[in-house]
Amino acid sequence: MATVSLRLGDLVWGKLGRYPPWPGKIVNPPKDLKKPRGKKCFFVKFFGTEDHAWIKVEQLKPYHAHKEEMIKINKGKRFQQAVDAVEEFLRRAKGKDQTSSHNSADDKNRRNSSEERSRPSSGDEKRKLSLSEGKVKKNVGEGKKRVSSGSSERGSKSPLKRAQEQSPRKRGRPPKDEKDLTIPESSTVKGMMAGPMAAFKWQPTVSEPVKDADPHFHHFLLSQTEKPAVCYQAITKKLKICEEETGSTSIQAADSTAVNGSITPTDKKIGFLGLGLMGSGIVSNLLKMGHTVTVWNRTAEKCDLFIQEGARLGRTPAEVVSTCDITFACVSDPKAAKDLVLGPSGVLQGIRPGKCYVDMSTVDADTVTELAQVIVSRGGRFLEAPVSGNQQLSNDGMLVILAAGDRGLYEDCSSCFQAMGKTSFFLGEVGNAAKMMLIVNMVQGSFMATIAEGLTLAQVTGQSQQTLLDILNQGQLASIFLDQKCQNILQGNFKPDFYLKYIQKDLRLAIALGDAVNHPTPMAAAANEVYKRAKALDQSDNDMSAVYRAYIH
């Protein structure tokens, strides 16, 4: 994009990494978010999302001048929602400008009318002159005996009090104290809407006085659905911890709809191993939120995009661990997780006392327990933190993180977890997160197989699959997951958002977990067989919704 002349408050199209140009607004960054060195850039809050980032000038275009061009090349639903959010913002700003102008005119008319009504008559002027003369005489003759009781009475009252007694306050003209309260509010609204720093109409929280509100700070904190503002005090603490009845702890952003808005990145050096569907989105969000990240991937070419976005390149897992304070890893299965730690130039070779390792892979409890033991035996600190979600949620920073192990390390990871997810749970000792994650994915995988089964049954019995989806979307099962997966099937689009081979792996591990405690899992076992058939039909690298093809072949 060509370089343009921009300033604070401008609406723009911003290009961030691999993402398409997106509508946003140049706003003030939080005080504790440092501006990147190098080329000139602006801090942009993007509409329709909770994303914000420093964007180089050459990656920005004015909104109005390029609106038609951008709308032609971007047709997605979320993009259209973002454009709608911009237009709604502009309508509100225009409406407030008109209201402000109308109110200003009314105020002027009221003042003129009030001045006309309060203009003194000739009789009033004589009385005021008499009062003034009495005041002068009082001052001159102070200390002398007063000549009359009437003169004494007049001299004992202040001019303001006498004026109030003689001339009652006219309607429409507030006393001085009332006027002082109303003028700042009016000028604040006027300034917000007329100046370049115009922002949405935010609703202050009870815990936050209006006078302390910073509209530009809240602008990138909040969703554009006008939900109540996240209070600044809660944001600066970054996280709130609530103990559940189960004894687990959930650490959440102060407002899950604004989960990425208030992050103060840790000053610790972060490493990340594994740039697959989930890992790529996680690293992108860590970088956007200002973390210092070193990356490694088995296929080195996948690192190039992140290097361009400011990440550093590690040559081996051992090098990443040795040069970073906290290293995260997200790989495909138990074997890959073990090879990454125990293999040549692996994680274990870089571990020394104080080094931290966080495994975000979905594996079984035995695998993660073994990895924890070898890491801790070298003086390292270990946390398991598998994530619930898919590629889209990873890109959006809306994953759910299930953690267990070193509680102190969990808290040290708070800014990272905020960057990548909307909620994180601490579940106690190592192994608990692995078990919980397998149970979650067992339910999800079984549900997906049931959806596919229902759609194929509708087809073979002469029912409309679209009508079935419409009915489900109006009932208790309605969810984003249901709608997206059914749309995949109806459109024949099985581009992976969650690999089929990985959900089958999770079902297999969940069944083994049930066997270990002699607990029946017949539903999961039946679903697992359907996924195995889909794999035999070469659907492994497609989305899990491709399990549908197991029913039609």
Side-chain angles (χ1 to χ4, degrees):
M1 293 185 177
T3 302
V4 293
S5 177
L6 298 169
R7 62 178 182 173
L8 191 67
D10 284 352
L11 298 179
V12 295
W13 296 97
K15 182 78 170 67
L16 181 63
R18 57 187 172 174
Y19 301 106
W22 206 263
K25 182 172 182 284
I26 298 175
V27 299
N28 276 323
K31 295 178 182 178
D32 51 6
L33 189 58
K34 296 180 180 179
K35 189 173 183 179
R37 296 178 181 177
K39 296 184 178 180
K40 185 178 180 181
C41 56
F42 287 102
F43 193 77
V44 176
K45 168 67 178 75
F46 292 102
F47 285 86
T49 75
E50 289 311 317
D51 290 336
H52 59 268
W54 289 104
I55 307 293
K56 296 175 183 177
V57 173
E58 58 266 27
Q59 298 297 321
L60 295 171
K61 282 186 176 182
Y63 175 78
H64 294 288
H66 297 274
K67 177 183 172 182
E68 297 302 325
E69 170 192 347
M70 297 303 173
I71 290 177
K72 287 180 181 179
I73 62 176
N74 292 291
K75 301 293 184 182
K77 182 178 180 181
R78 294 185 65 219
F79 174 82
Q80 186 57 52
Q81 290 172 345
V83 174
D84 291 343
V86 180
E87 298 304 314
E88 177 64 19
F89 167 66
L90 291 172
R91 282 194 295 272
R92 290 179 185 173
K94 183 177 180 181
K96 288 185 179 180
D97 276 337
Q98 292 174 349
T99 301
S100 179
S101 300
H102 180 71
N103 289 342
S104 297
D106 287 348
D107 288 344
K108 184 176 180 180
N109 291 335
R110 281 196 295 268
R111 285 197 299 271
N112 291 338
S113 176
S114 179
E115 289 170 2
E116 190 69 30
R117 287 196 303 269
S118 61
R119 186 171 296 154
S121 65
S122 59
D124 291 335
E125 289 178 350
K126 289 179 181 179
R127 282 195 298 271
K128 289 185 178 179
L129 179 59
S130 176
L131 286 170
S132 299
E133 290 175 352
K135 175 68 176 175
V136 171
K137 289 177 182 177
K138 174 182 176 294
N139 291 338
V140 171
E142 192 169 357
K144 296 182 181 180
K145 186 176 180 180
R146 294 180 177 85
V147 294
S148 71
S149 60
S151 174
S152 173
E153 185 178 349
R154 284 195 301 271
S156 66
K157 295 184 180 181
S158 70
L160 176 60
K161 196 167 185 178
R162 289 199 305 274
Q164 288 174 340
E165 287 177 355
Q166 294 179 44
S167 179
R169 178 166 62 90
K170 304 294 190 294
R171 288 183 300 173
R173 188 174 183 177
K176 185 173 177 28
D177 57 342
E178 290 179 16
K179 189 176 180 182
D180 289 343
L181 288 174
T182 56
I183 287 178
E185 180 181 357
S186 177
S187 62
T188 298
V189 173
K190 194 180 214 179
M192 284 173 62
M193 298 317 304
M197 299 180 187
F200 291 108
K201 177 181 178 182
W202 301 119
Q203 302 175 11
T205 59
V206 173
S207 60
E208 182 180 2
V210 173
K211 63 188 176 70
D212 291 334
D214 181 346
H216 313 299
F217 185 74
H218 287 287
H219 182 78
F220 58 81
L221 279 181
L222 303 177
S223 68
Q224 289 142 18
T225 56
E226 290 198 336
K227 294 185 179 180
V230 182
C231 82
Y232 180 78
Q233 289 82 359
I235 285 300
T236 54
K237 293 178 182 176
K238 293 190 289 296
L239 299 173
K240 63 180 180 181
I241 303 178
C242 53
E243 294 293 335
E244 298 185 344
E245 293 179 359
T246 58
S248 67
T249 300
S250 169
I251 289 191
Q252 304 176 339
D255 185 336
S256 61
T257 67
V259 73
N260 293 336
S262 62
I263 299 170
T264 301
T266 178
D267 57 3
K268 297 181 183 297
K269 296 178 181 178
I270 304 301
F272 204 95
L273 312 175
L275 300 174
L277 287 183
M278 306 297 278
S280 293
I282 291 172
V283 170
S284 179
N285 282 308
L286 288 171
L287 290 169
K288 282 194 290 184
M289 296 303 117
H291 294 84
T292 300
V293 185
T294 300
V295 296
W296 174 88
N297 192 70
R298 185 175 56 184
T299 307
E301 291 77 14
K302 285 189 176 182
C303 298
D304 293 344
L305 175 62
F306 302 101
I307 303 303
Q308 295 173 14
E309 296 300 320
R312 301 170 183 175
L313 178 64
R315 292 175 295 181
T316 66
E319 180 183 284
V320 173
V321 173
S322 64
T323 57
C324 296
D325 301 306
I326 303 174
T327 300
F328 294 84
C330 188
V331 294
S332 58
D333 55 32
K335 182 180 183 304
K338 288 182 180 180
D339 289 346
L340 187 63
V341 173
L342 305 174
S345 300
V347 168
L348 194 59
Q349 293 185 22
I351 292 289
R352 58 179 184 269
K355 292 294 182 181
C356 303
Y357 186 63
V358 183
D359 195 337
M360 307 191 79
S361 313
T362 300
V363 297
D364 57 284
D366 289 342
T367 296
V368 78
T369 300
E370 179 184 345
L371 297 179
Q373 289 173 348
V374 297
I375 296 294
V376 173
S377 69
R378 293 285 185 94
R381 300 167 64 194
F382 182 84
L383 186 74
E384 59 167 331
V387 293
S388 177
N390 54 31
Q391 183 183 27
Q392 186 60 57
L393 293 175
S394 176
N395 291 341
D396 293 343
M398 295 295 282
L399 296 169
V400 175
I401 300 142
L402 311 182
D406 188 317
R407 176 59 182 267
L409 176 53
Y410 172 62
E411 292 171 351
D412 288 343
C413 293
S414 62
S415 75
C416 297
F417 288 159
Q418 271 194 287
M420 64 182 74
K422 66 177 180 178
T423 310
S424 65
F425 293 85
F426 184 78
L427 303 177
E429 64 184 18
V430 170
N432 285 345
K435 294 173 185 176
M436 185 68 81
M437 189 73 259
L438 291 177
I439 294 168
V440 169
N441 282 358
M442 177 188 76
V443 172
Q444 182 174 252
S446 299
F447 183 42
M448 181 66 253
T450 301
I451 292 171
E453 191 169 291
L455 285 171
T456 52
L457 183 58
Q459 184 181 38
V460 298
T461 57
Q463 306 305 307
S464 165
Q465 293 179 321
Q466 181 62 57
T467 301
L468 172 61
L469 173 57
D470 293 340
I471 293 169
L472 292 173
N473 276 336
Q474 294 299 316
Q476 293 178 324
L477 293 178
S479 65
I480 295 174
F481 178 83
L482 171 71
D483 185 63
Q484 287 181 343
K485 297 308 178 185
C486 285
Q487 292 293 351
N488 287 352
I489 291 171
L490 294 180
Q491 297 169 13
N493 175 19
F494 300 108
K495 181 181 177 181
D497 197 39
F498 191 121
Y499 283 115
L500 184 143
K501 61 185 176 184
Y502 292 157
I503 196 67
Q504 190 274 322
K505 175 263 298 182
D506 293 344
L507 280 165
R508 173 173 54 82
L509 294 176
I511 293 167
L513 177 62
D515 289 344
V517 293
N518 197 30
H519 181 79
T521 53
M523 304 301 293
N528 185 47
E529 292 304 314
V530 182
Y531 283 100
K532 286 164 65 177
R533 171 163 173 74
K535 286 177 66 178
L537 295 170
D538 296 324
Q539 301 302 310
S540 291
D541 292 324
N542 282 333
D543 186 72
M544 68 164 75
S545 53
V547 68
Y548 173 81
R549 289 178 170 168
Y551 286 97
I552 60 176
H553 287 87

